[in-house]
Amino acid sequence: MPGSSVRPAPVRFNTGAVELLGAGVTVALGERRSELVLFEEAYAASTRSQGAVLFVSGPVGTGKTALMQEMAAHAGRQGGPFFLVTASAGERARPFGVLDRLIHGMCAAGMTPPFPDGRPHPDRDFFAMMDRIGAVIQDFARGRPVVIGIDDIHFADEQSLRCLSYVIRRIEQSRVVIVLNECTSYERETADLRAEMLHLPYCHRIRLAALTQAGIAEHLTRHFGAVPDAASVRFYSEVSGGNPLLLHALIDDRIAVPEPADGEPGSSFRQAVLRILHRCSPVTAAVARSVAVLGDYAAPALIAELVGADIAVVRAGMRDLHEIGLRDAEAAEGFRHGHIRSAMLSSVPSADLSTLHGRAAEVLHASGAPAIAVAEHLIAAQDGGKAAWRVTILCEAAREAMAAGDVESAGKSLRYAVESSGEETQRAQAAVLAADAQWHADPSRAVRRLHGLRRDALAGLLTGPDILVVVNQLLWWGEFGEADELMRLSGLEGGGGSSLAQLWTLFRRTWPGSATLEEPGRPTHAVPALTHPLHPDHLRRSSEPLQQPPLAQSGPMAAVTYLSSAATSAYDAMTPGRADQMLSAIRAGTPLTPALYALVVLVQTGQLDEAAAWCDRLLKEDWIGRVPMRRVMIGTIQSVAALRSGDSETSLRGIREVLDVVPPPAWGVAAGLPLSVAVRAATDLGDAQSARSHLAAPVPPVMFDTPFGLPYLQALGRYHLAMGHRQSALAHFRSCTELLIKWGVEPAGIQAAIDWHHRTAAPTGPEVARPPADRGEDASAAAEAEPPWEGPSQEPAGPPESVRLTDAEQRVAALAAAGNTNRQIAESLFITVSTVEQHLTKIYRKLNVRSRSGLRRFQP
């Protein structure tokens, strides 16, 4: 009959071990010898009509069935039968199911049927029926010991358990040995049976524990043919927890892939975890899945709320998982290995897992868990928008992630917050945070949200701080008109007028217009040069108070303005000691702008080693190093410090890394900052090709109307100076003075700066070889060339005072007056020759001149 059999020896032997056929679990007898000896003694006593009961319990996978198979093998060697029945959870509702299968198996081996139909029946008188069954079993065992084994007794039906209890109480003076295997996950189900059995003098309880490291080493030696080293034993012990099923799954994985690339467990291990989970009690399995879902927050109280069970039951389940070898309170996420958690989660159907994550989010939120932990479950559940607190939590989690430097997690939380928000104000506020997080990762991606955010701000969906985020990003991309409109309509104009004016005011905070440098034998003047730091003893300050525009408080424009001051010669009143104090106080979650400001002070006061050391220290911080824009801002200052210390090679290498992380197009109007450092470092090294490659990087024309054009023009002038283009270099330096005029530097200082440029119009660093001009360029130059000096000009009188050239026209006019060809002007300003010609046409008309020579009298 299916399901019943006599199995005298369903094992095969292999050097002192027994293998469970069909299950793949091998038990080394050294670890289970004492248990087997107890059975052998009980078997020997049964030959003297002394019956016994062995109650074997242990967690799932610890070898209970394998031990029973070895007991069957011993009985077979002694010539006695071993009748094994395995109870099944699927047949638990069938009355007398286990007993029926046992009787049929024994009858097939020659036992007299207790009833004409051979089966127990609920309609029969119970005690009469049990007397009859007990009698035929004892009669069948008169000539030899009979061993009855019932595996997974916890799945036996209630009627069969009652019958077994009756039989057990009557075998003391018989040749019957009964072995019952119980999983500790189901101890509640067999509590009554144990209560009736364990006080009997001939009933013995065996508890199987996890394998020791010595037992694990024995397994490894037998499978791999060599004594394992201590590290291997430790690995197998830590991952398997001493569970034989998990241990052999690890061994199978290693046999299948002898040298895994990552050293991780494989598919056999994951399948073994699923087998254990399937064989655990429903409560233990639910606790296991809850631990997997909750991860670091898998406290008993939260698990109980998630599972909907009593906390005592949950604690028992967690204890069971520990005994099985799956859980380790000291391990990350509560399990011994990450594969265990992933296998647990994979066993849950997708819909159920989504529900479980949603419930976990509610439980964690109610418990006051960090927002980032709650957000993880909201995203996994994909059920946002059901309550306003969910979007709030997602936004809060994003702030926590940004503080820790986890831009990816922040972006994920905010994308989901924007998509799932059912209220427009919440959606707009989440979108601002999303744009800010994206800017920190890649400004070129954040720009996609920019005009939508502007519409939200104009619609009144954003508050002041959020509006400033939008304004900062508009300024980043040179959208000054839109930024001005937004600030005006939002009432944020105070302290600086237009946004561009505020940007200049902010820039003046780090490079006040009246700052001067005094050197012996040289007039007092402003020195806008990358390699000329200012010393506190050389500074003079204007007493005019500077207004504090909103943009000065925080945001990318405030940050890059400080960088711009480092790339020129700006300096503020902070002392180096105060800068060190500010840097020491910087922590994750605080704005980065003060740190940049303090680093600039160290660079500008010549504290270059200190600045470099602080840059190294800050870049090692996760909250900085993991965020691209934070990293490149610190990296830019580090490269400036290296350049000023004379280490141009380190500076160029560092700034290349900066531009690899965030390429020039993503820098917007601030692109001149890293490019100026790269060009200057390459120029100093005599690397013309590298300098030209960085000058070829496109920059937005609007950059030259901002403070960030200043260091770029300085570097460009230095490059042309090294190339031997004295007039072009002077033209670029003059463009710097135009910016200084906008900046508010005193006229005398501007003129002194111009004079200084004429003194310095010669290469000061390694000469850069001038690239040979092609024939076309020579021809163009000859066609446009004019004598450097002419006789008295016959040009008409100059233009009326009201005529003013645009900034772009002034730059073209200066280069043309210096004798540059149209092509040279185009290359210097990175515009087309056609654009140069158009500018010259307008310039001639405005100034009422007919040629380049006529432009010279209008130049400083």
Side-chain angles (χ1 to χ4, degrees), residues 517-734:
L517 175 66
E518 297 176 354
E519 293 185 14
R522 181 174 296 180
T524 298
H525 53 266
V527 185
L530 184 66
T531 55
H532 289 75
L534 299 185
H535 192 275
D537 296 340
H538 297 152
L539 289 171
R540 294 177 181 173
R541 300 243 166 237
S542 169
S543 59
E544 176 189 355
L546 291 175
Q547 293 174 305
Q548 179 85 347
L551 295 178
Q553 299 167 10
S554 63
M557 299 315 294
V560 294
T561 298
Y562 291 131
L563 265 67
S564 182
S565 67
T568 53
S569 56
Y571 176 71
D572 207 354
M574 181 187 293
T575 63
R578 174 71 179 126
D580 281 333
Q581 292 177 7
M582 183 177 288
L583 287 166
S584 298
I586 294 295
R587 297 290 184 273
T590 60
L592 186 62
T593 304
L596 298 176
Y597 180 33
L599 289 172
V600 166
V601 170
L602 293 178
V603 171
Q604 295 297 354
T605 55
Q607 312 294 310
L608 301 178
D609 290 341
E610 290 84 348
W614 271 112
C615 287
D616 283 334
R617 190 179 308 176
L618 290 172
L619 287 172
K620 291 176 183 176
E621 295 283 343
D622 276 352
W623 69 279
I624 292 176
R626 296 171 63 189
V627 182
M629 286 307 298
R630 292 173 184 168
R631 188 161 76 246
V632 299
M633 287 184 178
I634 299 293
T636 299
I637 294 181
Q638 192 174 38
S639 293
V640 170
L643 187 63
R644 288 194 171 184
S645 67
D647 190 355
S648 299
E649 185 175 354
T650 297
S651 177
L652 183 59
R653 183 169 60 250
I655 207 66
R656 280 173 173 168
E657 293 175 359
V658 164
L659 293 173
D660 284 342
V661 174
V662 180
W667 282 82
V669 297
L673 301 181
L675 288 174
S676 67
V677 179
V679 172
R680 180 57 199 272
T683 300
D684 288 352
L685 290 170
D687 188 350
Q689 181 178 358
S690 180
R692 285 194 298 271
S693 70
H694 291 297
L695 286 172
V699 295
V702 72
M703 181 189 80
F704 295 102
D705 293 325
T706 72
F708 313 114
L710 187 63
Y712 186 82
L713 289 170
Q714 292 174 5
L716 193 56
R718 299 285 299 188
Y719 167 75
H720 280 286
L721 205 60
M723 295 288 290
H725 301 158
R726 294 167 56 89
Q727 296 301 322
S728 295
L730 186 57
H732 290 301
F733 291 143
R734 282 172 173 164

Side-chain angles (χ1 to χ4, degrees), residues 87-107:
S88 170
E91 299 181 21
R92 200 169 190 176
R94 179 185 175 190
F96 299 104
V98 171
L99 184 63
D100 184 41
R101 290 166 55 200
L102 177 62
I103 290 174
H104 276 77
M106 297 179 74
C107 289

